[in-house]
Amino acid sequence: MRTLITNGTIVTADGSFAADVLVDGETIAAIGAGLAGMVQSDETIDATGRYVIPGGIDVHTHMELPFGGTFAKDTFETGTRAAAFGGTTSIVDFAVQSKGQALRTGLDAWHAKAEGNAVLDYGFHMIMSDVNDDSLAEMDQLVTEGVPDFKLFTAYPGVFYSDDAAIFRAMQQTTKNGGLILMHAENGPAIDVVAAQLVAEGKTDPYYHGIARFPVFEGEATNRVIRLAEAAGAPVYIVHLSVIDALTAVREARDRGTQAFAETCPQYLFLSLDDLGGGFNGAKFICSPPLRDKDPNWEQLWTGLRKNDLQVVSTDHCPFDFHGQKEMGRGDFRKIPNGLPGVEDRVDLLHDGGVVAGRISRERWVEIVSTEPAKLFGMYPKKGAIAVGSDADLVVYDPDRVRTISATTHHMDVDYSCYEGRAIQGGSDIVMSRGSVVVRNGVFTGRKGHGRFIRRAPADYARLA
Ligand code: DUC
Ligand code: ZN
Ligand code: ZN
């Protein structure tokens, strides 16, 4: 099957230009002006007035994550299908090692959830909840199996939490096996003290989830784990960075030459502590780190994205229904499952609030939603690029289309949207995964089981820093 995409503007991280793209089978076979008259194809897609971009890559999702006695609702089928509607063509999800389990047990469970179900290609990071001699040795094996990054937490004592010794040992291990430690950096023990005090005072509404998790608790933990990485001689990647205190720690580390990387998420660029107010409805907005004050955080995060102190925007997609799941925490915000839906809206939100709003260029938009995630997570140039030989994960993107986000029309398996009623400019017309059209003008044309495991290699972090 050969498909020719004609008359579009190719937008990559490096620049924009008018050219046609020939897809042959699963990969890009040719790029050039006037290909239409020169090559044979089975289908021609006219991209006049539209961009042709590499498909989005969301490197932070939690399909079916067990959390607080329930599970994140999207499966690999529903979650990747929703992602496709939003112009994302690959995800990297977090497999979970529970306490007392081997890494292998958690990884096998995640392969079983995804295989035969995902409609898009997917990779895995490994959450480590139990660092010990055995799990440290297992890390080396996982790197060889295409799972080269490991997430540890300074939050959630008793569940995912690792102490400094465990974090340091895991970092030392990556200096030997070439992998990367991803850190959820919030001071969990201190947060738990404040949260208990608030509840004892009768402050049980969702809003107090945001109050309990002081910005300094994220700043302190971010600085601490970066310092530990420096001591170990390891690169480190801070996930879901939400606040200026943490951004400052990353920026200062990068300025002194540390291989420190960080992502933020749309919720920290477009939502705020105000959304957590309004009584129990605020439960819809509970995630960790929490939503923050709009000022000065939003503009500081955008500046961080422009200046490359932040390299990636991912979603931390972790959807729980308001009815029946978020409601488990009525009367105690600590019992509300943490997480927001977002995998479908990331590319469009960043186009509207970033490119259309004049905060970033369209090339930087492509870079932070696709190319840089591919580079940092060992998928480039197979993914994240428009180049001969790359996977034909392509989106024909209409930069002018306006739509309104709503739970009544989204495709994520969750009963609300954090962006309900928000009008945004920009949308994906055609979404292609390895040469197959999976979404065409709002209609799903993909196939459950089309998605394949992406076997990833460690990246050259020194070069990317
Ligand atoms: N934060 C969330 O909001 N959900 C899942 C896990 C996490 O760290
Ligand atoms: Zn996290
Ligand atoms: Zn997460």
Side-chain angles (χ1 to χ4, degrees):
M1 173 81 181
R2 282 156 71 96
T3 306
L4 187 63
I5 305 173
T6 58
N7 302 318
T9 300
I10 295 180
V11 181
T12 72
D14 299 325
S16 304
F17 52 97
D20 302 333
V21 182
L22 178 67
V23 174
D24 192 354
E26 297 193 342
T27 57
I28 296 171
I31 302 161
L35 284 181
M38 291 153 48
V39 298
Q40 296 283 321
S41 64
D42 303 294
E43 188 193 352
T44 300
I45 295 171
D46 183 3
T48 301
R50 288 167 292 171
Y51 301 156
V52 181
I53 61 172
I57 301 175
D58 190 344
V59 291
H60 192 150
T61 68
H62 296 286
M63 305 306 170
E64 300 175 54
L65 177 76
F67 193 103
T70 187
F71 289 84
K73 260 196 92 195
D74 269 317
T75 62
F76 275 85
E77 182 183 358
T78 64
T80 54
R81 192 169 169 275
F85 276 99
T88 286
T89 53
S90 302
I91 63 164
V92 186
D93 201 84
F94 285 85
V96 179
Q97 175 210 22
S98 304
K99 279 213 181 305
Q101 250 188 6
L103 299 187
R104 165 70 47 210
T105 310
L107 182 58
D108 284 352
W110 250 256
H111 274 297
K113 287 176 205 258
E115 205 179 328
N117 291 314
V119 312
L120 301 174
D121 292 351
Y122 56 90
F124 297 128
H125 314 286
M126 189 79 223
I127 285 178
M128 292 184 74
S129 309
D130 205 344
V131 175
N132 54 49
D133 290 344
D134 292 337
S135 60
L136 286 165
E138 277 192 284
M139 289 171 79
D140 301 355
Q141 174 61 25
L142 262 59
V143 173
T144 69
E145 292 181 22
V147 180
D149 10 76
F150 304 88
K151 181 184 180 190
L152 281 80
F153 293 70
T154 60
Y156 304 123
V159 189
F160 298 125
Y161 177 81
S162 287
D163 65 16
D164 291 351
I167 293 165
F168 187 62
R169 291 185 79 196
M171 287 172 166
Q172 286 184 318
Q173 199 73 18
T174 61
T175 65
K176 292 181 238 161
N177 63 31
L180 179 65
I181 297 296
L182 279 48
M183 288 301 316
H184 178 132
E186 288 186 289
N187 189 321
I191 287 166
D192 283 2
V193 169
V194 180
Q197 289 166 347
L198 289 167
V199 170
E201 291 167 23
K203 294 173 176 165
T204 59
D205 273 357
Y207 180 70
Y208 294 101
H209 171 85
I211 298 302
R213 305 180 92 90
F214 297 174
V216 69
F217 292 156
E218 189 178 337
E220 179 276 324
T222 302
N223 179 60
R224 176 162 36 105
V225 299
I226 290 172
R227 290 297 188 176
L228 289 172
E230 287 170 347
V236 64
Y237 179 95
I238 308 298
V239 296
H240 49 45
L241 186 149
S242 75
V243 75
I244 188 170
D245 305 57
L247 178 61
T248 302
V250 171
R251 190 182 56 237
E252 289 177 358
R254 292 176 63 80
D255 286 350
R256 62 179 180 264
T258 302
Q259 291 170 39
F261 306 94
E263 65 179 19
T264 189
C265 309
Q267 53 268 34
Y268 305 120
L269 297 165
F270 299 111
L271 302 173
S272 78
L273 193 54
D274 294 343
D275 293 295
L276 276 169
F280 194 71
N281 193 59
K284 293 176 179 172
F285 299 90
I286 285 207
C287 58
S288 293
L291 304 183
R292 303 295 191 181
D293 284 327
K294 174 179 174 187
D295 294 319
N297 294 300
W298 288 5
E299 283 312 321
Q300 289 293 322
L301 293 177
W302 282 110
T303 301
L305 285 167
R306 273 193 302 276
K307 294 192 166 178
N308 203 38
D309 290 321
L310 300 171
Q311 296 78 38
V312 171
V313 175
S314 68
T315 59
D316 200 6
H317 176 76
C318 190
F320 299 99
D321 274 343
F322 180 70
H323 297 289
Q325 290 190 296
K326 293 285 188 180
E327 281 177 333
M328 292 161 68
R330 273 196 197 277
D332 186 345
F333 64 81
R334 296 173 299 179
K335 298 191 176 131
I336 299 170
N338 287 201
L340 308 184
V343 75
E344 187 168 353
D345 299 319
R346 179 186 66 123
V347 172
D348 293 344
L349 282 167
L350 267 287
H351 179 265
D352 180 68
V355 182
V356 178
R359 290 181 170 123
I360 51 172
S361 67
R362 61 190 181 182
E363 291 80 14
R364 182 62 177 157
W365 167 61
V366 169
E367 190 163 36
I368 62 183
V369 302
S370 177
T371 305
E372 197 65 22
K375 287 182 176 172
L376 273 168
F377 292 98
M379 293 176 264
Y380 187 85
K382 186 176 164 65
K383 309 283 191 193
I386 299 187
V388 172
S390 294
D391 281 358
D393 291 0
L394 296 167
V395 176
V396 176
Y397 196 84
D398 182 347
D400 298 318
R401 176 146 62 88
V402 175
R403 71 178 178 98
T404 302
I405 298 180
S406 174
T408 60
T409 48
H410 74 199
H411 303 86
M412 298 175 285
D413 185 17
V414 61
D415 66 0
Y416 74 96
S417 169
C418 292
Y419 306 98
E420 187 69 38
R422 188 185 184 103
I424 49 169
Q425 184 181 325
S428 299
D429 286 353
I430 309 268
V431 181
M432 192 181 265
S433 164
R434 276 185 286 102
S436 298
V437 174
V438 295
V439 172
R440 191 188 295 272
N441 301 323
V443 177
F444 182 66
T445 55
R447 181 176 58 80
K448 172 180 168 165
H450 164 85
R452 279 193 210 136
F453 174 62
I454 309 167
R455 188 178 277 268
R456 299 177 297 112
D460 184 349
Y461 307 108
R463 203 172 55 78
L464 292 169

